[in-house]
Amino acid sequence: MSAQARAPHTARTPVQQAALIVGAVFLLVGVLGFIPGVTTHYGTMEFAAHHSEAKLLGIFQVSVLHNLVHLAFGIAGLALSRTAAHARSYLLVGGAVYLVLWLYGLLIDRDSGANFVPVNTADNWLHFVLGLGMIALGALLTRGRSTTHAAA
């Protein structure tokens, strides 16, 4: 029996790879949100309020809560990338969450307490792209494939 035949099946499916990459990016963004310099106006960062003027890369409004959400989405992506079914669910549900967050950002008064995440225009449109992108990855990378018997 060859070494390849004896080796356990550890290859990741495309949807698992996508979930792993998306999760790693969210984790990185969450960490970067806590680094002064990468996040401008770092001293104004609040836990959760629209008064936070901290901006990741000088563009995306962030708070401690916003960064923690990114970290949680990152950890979830890494953990759920272990199976194709969970990776698909992560991408589809996570994408839906980001589309809801996009709608939320469009509908709220950004100068009110309802903007507790907080979000700005750049965040809103990034959330839209992330939502569509995650849903597309989850749907297209499993199209015509069964995810119930994928690699664990």
Side-chain angles (χ1 to χ4, degrees):
M1 185 182 286
S2 71
Q4 186 178 17
R6 287 188 308 252
H9 181 67
T10 58
R12 292 187 182 270
T13 64
V15 74
Q16 287 176 278
Q17 292 172 350
L20 183 67
I21 291 167
V22 169
V25 169
F26 272 118
L27 201 56
L28 177 63
V29 167
V31 169
L32 291 176
F34 289 113
I35 299 176
V38 177
T39 298
T40 60
H41 307 292
Y42 187 83
T44 68
M45 187 183 301
E46 296 187 19
F47 178 77
H50 67 281
H51 301 296
S52 179
E53 291 299 320
K55 291 185 178 158
L56 179 62
L57 304 174
I59 301 169
F60 305 103
Q61 191 172 9
V62 293
S63 65
V64 172
L65 178 61
H66 206 145
N67 292 334
L68 291 174
V69 169
H70 290 146
L71 290 171
F73 260 85
I75 291 166
L78 298 180
L80 294 172
S81 71
R82 295 187 63 182
T83 69
H86 287 117
R88 181 178 194 269
S89 294
Y90 166 74
L91 292 168
L92 295 176
V93 173
V97 167
Y98 270 91
L99 288 178
V100 168
L101 188 56
W102 166 67
L103 288 173
Y104 171 79
L106 292 178
L107 297 174
I108 62 165
D109 176 1
R110 290 194 208 133
D111 293 324
S112 75
N115 191 13
F116 67 94
V117 174
V119 294
N120 63 13
T121 301
D123 288 305
N124 286 340
W125 293 105
L126 179 59
H127 293 155
F128 176 72
V129 170
L130 283 170
L132 288 182
M134 289 174 75
I135 289 171
L137 287 170
L140 296 175
L141 294 178
T142 56
R143 192 168 161 185
R145 294 179 185 210
S146 171
T147 58
T148 58
H149 295 93

mmCIF file of all heavy atoms in Angstrom, residues 1 3 6-7 10 26-27 29 46 55 62-65 73 102 106 108 110 122 128 138 147:
data_model
loop_
_atom_site.group_PDB
_atom_site.id
_atom_site.type_symbol
_atom_site.label_atom_id
_atom_site.label_comp_id
_atom_site.label_asym_id
_atom_site.label_seq_id
_atom_site.Cartn_x
_atom_site.Cartn_y
_atom_site.Cartn_z
ATOM 1 N N MET A 1 0.847 -1.164 0.000
ATOM 2 C CA MET A 1 0.000 0.000 0.000
ATOM 3 C C MET A 1 0.904 1.243 0.000
ATOM 4 O O MET A 1 1.843 1.328 0.762
ATOM 5 C CB MET A 1 -0.879 -0.035 1.257
ATOM 6 C CG MET A 1 -1.885 1.075 1.291
ATOM 7 S SD MET A 1 -2.900 1.079 2.782
ATOM 8 C CE MET A 1 -3.974 -0.291 2.501
ATOM 9 N N ALA A 3 2.141 5.218 0.447
ATOM 10 C CA ALA A 3 2.006 6.183 1.542
ATOM 11 C C ALA A 3 0.782 7.065 1.333
ATOM 12 O O ALA A 3 0.087 7.423 2.273
ATOM 13 C CB ALA A 3 3.267 7.034 1.648
ATOM 14 N N ARG A 6 -2.340 5.237 2.479
ATOM 15 C CA ARG A 6 -2.438 5.107 3.931
ATOM 16 C C ARG A 6 -2.738 6.436 4.611
ATOM 17 O O ARG A 6 -3.233 6.457 5.723
ATOM 18 C CB ARG A 6 -1.133 4.550 4.497
ATOM 19 C CG ARG A 6 -0.933 3.094 4.212
ATOM 20 C CD ARG A 6 0.271 2.587 4.966
ATOM 21 N NE ARG A 6 1.447 3.411 4.723
ATOM 22 C CZ ARG A 6 2.505 3.066 4.007
ATOM 23 N NH1 ARG A 6 2.544 1.870 3.470
ATOM 24 N NH2 ARG A 6 3.518 3.865 3.845
ATOM 25 N N ALA A 7 -2.395 7.525 3.970
ATOM 26 C CA ALA A 7 -2.574 8.840 4.600
ATOM 27 C C ALA A 7 -4.059 9.149 4.763
ATOM 28 O O ALA A 7 -4.854 8.852 3.888
ATOM 29 C CB ALA A 7 -1.912 9.925 3.745
ATOM 30 N N THR A 10 -7.191 14.484 4.251
ATOM 31 C CA THR A 10 -7.173 15.778 4.933
ATOM 32 C C THR A 10 -7.339 16.933 3.958
ATOM 33 O O THR A 10 -7.289 18.077 4.375
ATOM 34 C CB THR A 10 -5.853 15.974 5.713
ATOM 35 O OG1 THR A 10 -4.765 15.860 4.796
ATOM 36 C CG2 THR A 10 -5.724 14.965 6.838
ATOM 37 N N PHE A 26 -11.188 37.859 8.610
ATOM 38 C CA PHE A 26 -11.947 38.491 9.701
ATOM 39 C C PHE A 26 -11.101 38.555 10.972
ATOM 40 O O PHE A 26 -11.111 39.567 11.679
ATOM 41 C CB PHE A 26 -13.243 37.733 9.989
ATOM 42 C CG PHE A 26 -14.401 38.178 9.152
ATOM 43 C CD1 PHE A 26 -15.011 37.295 8.282
ATOM 44 C CD2 PHE A 26 -14.901 39.463 9.244
ATOM 45 C CE1 PHE A 26 -16.095 37.688 7.518
ATOM 46 C CE2 PHE A 26 -15.978 39.872 8.476
ATOM 47 C CZ PHE A 26 -16.585 38.987 7.610
ATOM 48 N N LEU A 27 -10.384 37.490 11.276
ATOM 49 C CA LEU A 27 -9.520 37.464 12.455
ATOM 50 C C LEU A 27 -8.453 38.547 12.350
ATOM 51 O O LEU A 27 -8.222 39.297 13.315
ATOM 52 C CB LEU A 27 -8.891 36.076 12.593
ATOM 53 C CG LEU A 27 -8.362 35.665 13.945
ATOM 54 C CD1 LEU A 27 -9.431 35.756 15.021
ATOM 55 C CD2 LEU A 27 -7.820 34.250 13.878
ATOM 56 N N VAL A 29 -8.542 41.320 10.541
ATOM 57 C CA VAL A 29 -9.177 42.633 10.628
ATOM 58 C C VAL A 29 -9.524 42.960 12.079
ATOM 59 O O VAL A 29 -9.336 44.089 12.535
ATOM 60 C CB VAL A 29 -10.428 42.695 9.714
ATOM 61 C CG1 VAL A 29 -11.286 43.911 10.014
ATOM 62 C CG2 VAL A 29 -9.996 42.684 8.253
ATOM 63 N N GLU A 46 -14.405 53.793 21.462
ATOM 64 C CA GLU A 46 -15.272 53.465 22.579
ATOM 65 C C GLU A 46 -15.683 52.015 22.481
ATOM 66 O O GLU A 46 -15.454 51.378 21.451
ATOM 67 C CB GLU A 46 -16.506 54.371 22.564
ATOM 68 C CG GLU A 46 -16.157 55.840 22.766
ATOM 69 C CD GLU A 46 -17.373 56.713 22.920
ATOM 70 O OE1 GLU A 46 -18.467 56.177 23.228
ATOM 71 O OE2 GLU A 46 -17.238 57.923 22.744
ATOM 72 N N LYS A 55 -10.925 54.729 13.163
ATOM 73 C CA LYS A 55 -11.200 54.192 11.824
ATOM 74 C C LYS A 55 -10.071 53.256 11.396
ATOM 75 O O LYS A 55 -8.909 53.655 11.326
ATOM 76 C CB LYS A 55 -11.347 55.329 10.817
ATOM 77 C CG LYS A 55 -12.596 56.142 11.056
ATOM 78 C CD LYS A 55 -12.804 57.178 9.994
ATOM 79 C CE LYS A 55 -14.095 57.909 10.292
ATOM 80 N NZ LYS A 55 -14.154 59.203 9.688
ATOM 81 N N VAL A 62 -14.743 51.973 13.567
ATOM 82 C CA VAL A 62 -14.713 50.789 14.431
ATOM 83 C C VAL A 62 -14.858 51.187 15.892
ATOM 84 O O VAL A 62 -14.665 52.343 16.259
ATOM 85 C CB VAL A 62 -13.409 49.965 14.249
ATOM 86 C CG1 VAL A 62 -13.333 49.337 12.873
ATOM 87 C CG2 VAL A 62 -12.176 50.787 14.540
ATOM 88 N N SER A 63 -15.212 50.205 16.676
ATOM 89 C CA SER A 63 -15.272 50.318 18.131
ATOM 90 C C SER A 63 -14.741 49.004 18.681
ATOM 91 O O SER A 63 -14.451 48.073 17.913
ATOM 92 C CB SER A 63 -16.715 50.547 18.583
ATOM 93 O OG SER A 63 -17.506 49.410 18.289
ATOM 94 N N VAL A 64 -14.654 48.910 19.985
ATOM 95 C CA VAL A 64 -14.235 47.643 20.581
ATOM 96 C C VAL A 64 -15.224 46.548 20.184
ATOM 97 O O VAL A 64 -14.819 45.457 19.767
ATOM 98 C CB VAL A 64 -14.120 47.775 22.116
ATOM 99 C CG1 VAL A 64 -13.865 46.421 22.762
ATOM 100 C CG2 VAL A 64 -13.030 48.770 22.489
ATOM 101 N N LEU A 65 -16.523 46.838 20.263
ATOM 102 C CA LEU A 65 -17.545 45.856 19.880
ATOM 103 C C LEU A 65 -17.404 45.434 18.419
ATOM 104 O O LEU A 65 -17.452 44.242 18.103
ATOM 105 C CB LEU A 65 -18.945 46.424 20.118
ATOM 106 C CG LEU A 65 -20.108 45.525 19.707
ATOM 107 C CD1 LEU A 65 -20.094 44.210 20.491
ATOM 108 C CD2 LEU A 65 -21.426 46.253 19.877
ATOM 109 N N PHE A 73 -16.334 36.401 14.205
ATOM 110 C CA PHE A 73 -16.578 35.855 12.866
ATOM 111 C C PHE A 73 -15.336 35.116 12.364
ATOM 112 O O PHE A 73 -15.459 34.102 11.673
ATOM 113 C CB PHE A 73 -16.964 36.966 11.889
ATOM 114 C CG PHE A 73 -18.434 37.062 11.633
ATOM 115 C CD1 PHE A 73 -19.247 37.783 12.483
ATOM 116 C CD2 PHE A 73 -19.020 36.421 10.552
ATOM 117 C CE1 PHE A 73 -20.606 37.871 12.266
ATOM 118 C CE2 PHE A 73 -20.380 36.493 10.320
ATOM 119 C CZ PHE A 73 -21.172 37.218 11.186
ATOM 120 N N TRP A 102 -25.855 45.501 6.679
ATOM 121 C CA TRP A 102 -25.850 46.535 5.639
ATOM 122 C C TRP A 102 -27.170 47.302 5.654
ATOM 123 O O TRP A 102 -27.178 48.531 5.650
ATOM 124 C CB TRP A 102 -25.601 45.891 4.269
ATOM 125 C CG TRP A 102 -25.886 46.774 3.105
ATOM 126 C CD1 TRP A 102 -25.208 47.905 2.741
ATOM 127 C CD2 TRP A 102 -26.928 46.608 2.144
ATOM 128 N NE1 TRP A 102 -25.767 48.439 1.611
ATOM 129 C CE2 TRP A 102 -26.825 47.657 1.220
ATOM 130 C CE3 TRP A 102 -27.929 45.661 1.963
ATOM 131 C CZ2 TRP A 102 -27.695 47.796 0.140
ATOM 132 C CZ3 TRP A 102 -28.783 45.794 0.895
ATOM 133 C CH2 TRP A 102 -28.662 46.854 -0.003
ATOM 134 N N LEU A 106 -27.997 51.276 6.628
ATOM 135 C CA LEU A 106 -28.681 52.202 5.732
ATOM 136 C C LEU A 106 -29.882 52.863 6.398
ATOM 137 O O LEU A 106 -30.217 54.011 6.091
ATOM 138 C CB LEU A 106 -29.154 51.480 4.467
ATOM 139 C CG LEU A 106 -28.093 50.972 3.510
ATOM 140 C CD1 LEU A 106 -28.752 50.234 2.350
ATOM 141 C CD2 LEU A 106 -27.220 52.095 2.998
ATOM 142 N N ILE A 108 -30.605 53.267 9.886
ATOM 143 C CA ILE A 108 -30.486 53.987 11.157
ATOM 144 C C ILE A 108 -29.984 55.411 10.959
ATOM 145 O O ILE A 108 -29.376 55.740 9.948
ATOM 146 C CB ILE A 108 -29.536 53.259 12.137
ATOM 147 C CG1 ILE A 108 -28.117 53.177 11.551
ATOM 148 C CG2 ILE A 108 -30.074 51.900 12.516
ATOM 149 C CD1 ILE A 108 -27.064 52.829 12.549
ATOM 150 N N ARG A 110 -27.229 57.640 11.833
ATOM 151 C CA ARG A 110 -25.854 57.376 12.279
ATOM 152 C C ARG A 110 -25.414 58.247 13.444
ATOM 153 O O ARG A 110 -24.413 57.954 14.086
ATOM 154 C CB ARG A 110 -24.880 57.527 11.109
ATOM 155 C CG ARG A 110 -25.043 56.416 10.121
ATOM 156 C CD ARG A 110 -23.895 56.364 9.156
ATOM 157 N NE ARG A 110 -24.384 55.787 7.921
ATOM 158 C CZ ARG A 110 -24.155 56.282 6.733
ATOM 159 N NH1 ARG A 110 -23.422 57.352 6.585
ATOM 160 N NH2 ARG A 110 -24.656 55.698 5.670
ATOM 161 N N ALA A 122 -18.636 53.747 4.433
ATOM 162 C CA ALA A 122 -17.666 52.749 3.959
ATOM 163 C C ALA A 122 -17.977 51.372 4.546
ATOM 164 O O ALA A 122 -17.929 50.358 3.837
ATOM 165 C CB ALA A 122 -16.251 53.178 4.318
ATOM 166 N N PHE A 128 -22.171 45.103 2.522
ATOM 167 C CA PHE A 128 -22.937 44.645 1.359
ATOM 168 C C PHE A 128 -22.097 43.688 0.503
ATOM 169 O O PHE A 128 -22.535 42.592 0.160
ATOM 170 C CB PHE A 128 -23.403 45.845 0.533
ATOM 171 C CG PHE A 128 -24.121 45.481 -0.730
ATOM 172 C CD1 PHE A 128 -25.399 44.954 -0.684
ATOM 173 C CD2 PHE A 128 -23.520 45.675 -1.958
ATOM 174 C CE1 PHE A 128 -26.075 44.611 -1.856
ATOM 175 C CE2 PHE A 128 -24.187 45.349 -3.134
ATOM 176 C CZ PHE A 128 -25.467 44.811 -3.079
ATOM 177 N N GLY A 138 -20.484 30.379 -0.601
ATOM 178 C CA GLY A 138 -21.173 29.235 -0.006
ATOM 179 C C GLY A 138 -22.041 28.498 -1.000
ATOM 180 O O GLY A 138 -22.117 27.265 -0.985
ATOM 181 N N THR A 147 -22.507 18.093 0.612
ATOM 182 C CA THR A 147 -21.597 18.507 1.688
ATOM 183 C C THR A 147 -21.732 17.618 2.902
ATOM 184 O O THR A 147 -21.042 17.810 3.894
ATOM 185 C CB THR A 147 -21.866 19.971 2.100
ATOM 186 O OG1 THR A 147 -23.223 20.083 2.510
ATOM 187 C CG2 THR A 147 -21.557 20.935 0.985
#
